[in-house]
Amino acid sequence: MNAATRQSHLDARAIAILLLCCLLWGINQVAAKAALTEIGPLWQAGLRSVVAGLLVWLWAASRGIRLFERDGSLGGGLLAGLLFAAEFACIFVGLQYTSASRMVVFIYLSPFVVALGMPWIAHGEKLSARQWAGLVVAFAAVAFAFAEGFSSPSTPRQWWGDLLGVAAAVLWGGTTLAIRGTRLSSAAAEKTLLYQLGVSAVALCAAAVWAGEPPPVHWSPRLLGLFGFQAVIVSFASYLAWFWLIRHYAATKLAVFTLSTPLFGLLAGALLLGEGISARLVAALAALAAGIVLVNR
């Protein structure tokens, strides 16, 4: 699909898929941090790419999708895969030093990276002043919701985890730009995702061995549940949906919706763990909705 046929506005189907993805991603950082008590960060990231990659391959085979035909996408695929691997290395290592809620805030700086870079790739996706204002309002809403946790560090090296979160945001935005700026923009979503999972599986598992992380030997039911959620639901199903959306809709419009992910994490905590919803969160949700409306007008 080329730029001429890519939809510039999000329809109801795209919004529904995006909201579901954001809900899953909001829970994902909590699952990843919880699993760190039983598995090293690099092994966790690498092995979930292995499992998700196998699922993508089986899914494509069952639907008759050819993944290994020559289509000129190899260079872009390797670049996107390396960026993807580096992003998750930053996230999983960073979660050792900072909280999941802080990590998710920094990761969702990525829409700014996409908004800054996309006009160089697709001139039709340049944001207007009103849309830039909406992007700023949306991110400010997210920062406002989490501002109470930024007053004092919980660990001496929290700054290191925060810095890795910012690096992950830049890498995620770079991955989106790499997909849109190369032959991957016209490749099947399954092929785009398999490039990233395949390259990251090799790179992250190799990094785990190089770093001397002990491989996971004992898999408790708790670890299996946390890991299965990340590998099957998030890395396979939700990422496949995300890359399908990137191929069919304007990336800048998609990116701003991802800012709802941290707030979905808070809502999930309230519903699943009985955590209270403060007036600050309600105000942040209202501001986030306003920002999304401005960007998508």
Side-chain angles (χ1 to χ4, degrees):
M1 176 174 290
N2 56 38
T5 57
R6 183 174 283 110
Q7 298 185 47
S8 60
H9 293 280
L10 304 182
D11 54 26
R13 178 175 62 171
I15 291 172
I17 295 173
L18 263 174
L19 290 177
L20 177 59
C21 287
C22 290
L23 174 62
L24 295 172
W25 297 340
I27 303 171
N28 184 59
Q29 303 304 323
V30 177
K33 187 170 181 66
L36 287 174
T37 59
E38 300 184 59
I39 184 173
L42 296 174
W43 276 121
Q44 183 179 183
L47 291 177
R48 78 172 197 164
S49 288
V50 171
V51 173
L54 289 173
L55 290 174
V56 170
W57 178 72
L58 291 171
W59 164 267
S62 70
R63 296 173 62 87
I65 300 171
R66 298 180 178 180
L67 297 175
F68 303 105
E69 288 186 328
R70 293 186 178 182
D71 58 4
S73 64
L74 179 61
L78 293 176
L79 174 60
L82 290 172
L83 290 170
F84 186 84
E87 174 198 342
F88 281 96
C90 289
I91 292 172
F92 281 76
V93 173
L95 282 170
Q96 296 180 108
Y97 305 106
T98 193
S99 67
S101 60
R102 289 176 66 86
M103 174 62 72
V104 80
V105 170
F106 291 115
I107 292 170
Y108 287 90
L109 288 166
S110 63
F112 287 93
V113 178
V114 176
L116 287 169
M118 192 56 66
W120 299 91
I121 297 173
H123 297 294
E125 294 194 28
K126 184 177 181 180
L127 296 181
S128 66
R130 183 189 66 245
Q131 290 171 321
W132 269 107
L135 187 63
V136 172
V137 168
F139 181 77
V142 175
F144 179 70
F146 287 89
E148 293 171 335
F150 284 78
S151 57
S152 59
S154 57
T155 64
R157 300 189 68 184
Q158 181 175 283
W159 65 271
W160 175 235
D162 294 345
L163 182 61
L164 287 171
V166 173
V170 175
L171 290 163
W172 184 12
T175 303
T176 302
L177 295 173
I179 291 170
R180 284 298 308 277
T182 66
R183 292 288 185 88
L184 286 179
S185 63
S186 58
E190 291 84 356
K191 186 166 188 173
T192 300
L193 181 54
L194 188 59
Y195 269 125
Q196 291 169 91
L197 293 173
V199 173
S200 65
V202 173
L204 290 168
C205 289
V209 173
W210 178 79
E213 275 190 14
V217 177
H218 303 290
W219 291 77
S220 68
R222 173 181 176 273
L223 178 57
L224 285 172
L226 293 169
F227 181 82
F229 169 75
Q230 294 180 69
V232 179
I233 305 300
V234 177
S235 297
F236 168 59
S238 74
Y239 290 169
L240 191 61
W242 169 250
F243 292 122
W244 179 85
L245 289 168
I246 289 178
R247 184 181 177 191
H248 290 84
Y249 296 90
T252 47
K253 302 296 179 65
L254 294 171
V256 73
F257 258 90
T258 64
L259 288 169
S260 64
T261 299
L263 299 184
F264 270 119
L266 284 183
L267 291 174
L271 294 173
L272 300 176
L273 303 176
E275 298 173 353
I277 300 177
S278 66
R280 176 184 289 268
L281 176 59
V282 174
L285 286 169
L288 176 67
I292 289 174
V293 168
L294 284 172
V295 172
N296 285 281
R297 288 186 62 183

